Amino acid sequence: SQTIHQWPATLVQPVGSPLSLECTVEGTSNPNLYWYRQAAGRGLQLLFYSVGIGQISSEVPQNLSASRPQDRQFILSSKKLLLSDSGFYLCAWSVFGPFSSSLVYTFGSGTRLTVV
Amino acid sequence: GQQVMQIPQYQHVQEGEDFTTYCNSSTTLSNIQWYKQRPGGHPVFLIQLVKSGEVKKQKRLTFQFGEAKKNSSLHITATQTTDVGTYFCAGILPTENSGGSNYKLTFGKGTLLTVNP
């Protein structure tokens, strides 16, 4: 069965420090991968999505970047964190292909980032 | 751009009361999905609606997809404290420049449901 792993669960980082959050998927190949951010009590904001290795689409210009070095690995990074980067970061995967009826997002358990 | 709007943003009910959240899209959707996020947790897939006018039930939850495939609703009958959480609708649309070969979800902002025991 497919599983998605995301770590760390919580993170407290000082302003100006770098960030690296990792997400890996098991049990599937060539998934679509996504990074979302959720501010406290708010909706899901799509940050990046990837349909393949090295293919990254950015939805919102910001202080973050994403990379996909392997088929089932998705990394969210920042060179210098801002206070406004605090939030709940969620990785998700879905199938890739023309059948919209099979498109279900499976989310990781999330990383709660606090920038101080 | 493509938007999915969801109301209300918050809803507080007494245990046993009914609850409904509504979702509207600016464009016709391929399908619509509903997710639930418990406090402190991550969104979990509940159901997908595909056909125009479709109605599906999961115990006390009733999901509807509009005839024009532009709106949807989730109704909970006789809420319980276990229903607490944020309910998100998500519309499925083709990604731009994919020629219909790939799809992605656009989430509504969610409705936070709290239940007073």
Side-chain angles (χ1 to χ4, degrees):
Chain A
S1 63
Q2 302 94 348
T3 56
I4 179 168
H5 302 280
Q6 191 178 343
W7 67 92
T10 58
L11 192 59
V12 179
Q13 291 283 101
V15 169
S17 64
L19 174 74
S20 181
L21 301 181
E22 189 164 343
C23 172
T24 59
V25 180
E26 296 178 359
T28 186
S29 59
N30 196 27
N32 283 359
L33 296 172
Y34 312 86
W35 277 111
Y36 283 86
R37 176 169 61 199
Q38 187 176 35
R42 305 293 291 275
L44 297 165
Q45 180 186 33
L46 179 62
L47 301 176
F48 301 95
Y49 71 93
S50 171
V51 299
I53 296 175
Q55 300 180 61
I56 308 294
S57 296
S58 175
E59 290 289 305
V60 181
Q62 59 216 311
N63 183 41
L64 301 167
S65 62
S67 61
R68 185 170 177 174
Q70 300 179 42
D71 181 44
R72 287 168 285 181
Q73 183 185 29
F74 205 22
I75 298 172
L76 182 69
S77 304
S78 173
K79 292 182 179 179
K80 287 185 178 182
L81 284 169
L82 306 171
L83 286 174
S84 57
D85 291 324
S86 293
F88 189 41
Y89 288 84
L90 290 155
C91 179
W93 76 271
S94 72
V95 298
F96 174 88
F99 303 107
S100 64
S101 60
S102 61
L103 183 66
V104 174
Y105 279 28
T106 301
F107 286 86
S109 54
T111 295
R112 202 163 300 278
L113 171 67
T114 304
V115 182
V116 296
Chain B
Q2 301 151 344
Q3 288 189 344
V4 174
M5 291 148 286
Q6 192 174 352
I7 57 170
Q9 190 175 358
Y10 307 99
Q11 184 77 59
H12 178 73
V13 300
Q14 287 292 125
E15 190 172 21
E17 293 181 339
D18 293 354
F19 159 77
T20 304
T21 174
Y22 301 90
C23 191
N24 287 285
S25 170
S26 54
T27 58
T28 302
L29 302 168
S30 299
N31 312 322
I32 195 158
Q33 296 180 354
W34 287 89
Y35 291 75
K36 178 183 179 181
Q37 183 179 23
R38 295 182 184 275
H42 57 277
V44 175
F45 173 78
L46 292 177
I47 206 163
Q48 176 165 248
L49 303 173
V50 178
K51 300 177 183 177
S52 168
E54 188 171 12
V55 178
K56 287 188 175 180
K57 292 191 176 184
Q58 289 180 349
K59 297 182 180 179
R60 295 177 292 104
L61 277 62
T62 302
F63 304 84
Q64 292 187 330
F65 200 11
E67 294 289 341
K69 301 184 76 172
K70 284 189 172 184
N71 59 74
S72 181
S73 64
L74 158 59
H75 179 82
I76 302 178
T77 303
T79 55
Q80 300 175 359
T81 55
T82 53
D83 295 325
V84 164
T86 301
Y87 293 85
F88 292 97
C89 62
I92 296 179
L93 294 158
T95 57
E96 296 176 1
N97 303 319
S98 73
S101 64
N102 200 10
Y103 295 81
K104 69 175 182 180
L105 264 61
T106 298
F107 282 88
K109 292 191 181 300
T111 297
L112 172 60
L113 171 65
T114 55
V115 179
N116 197 30

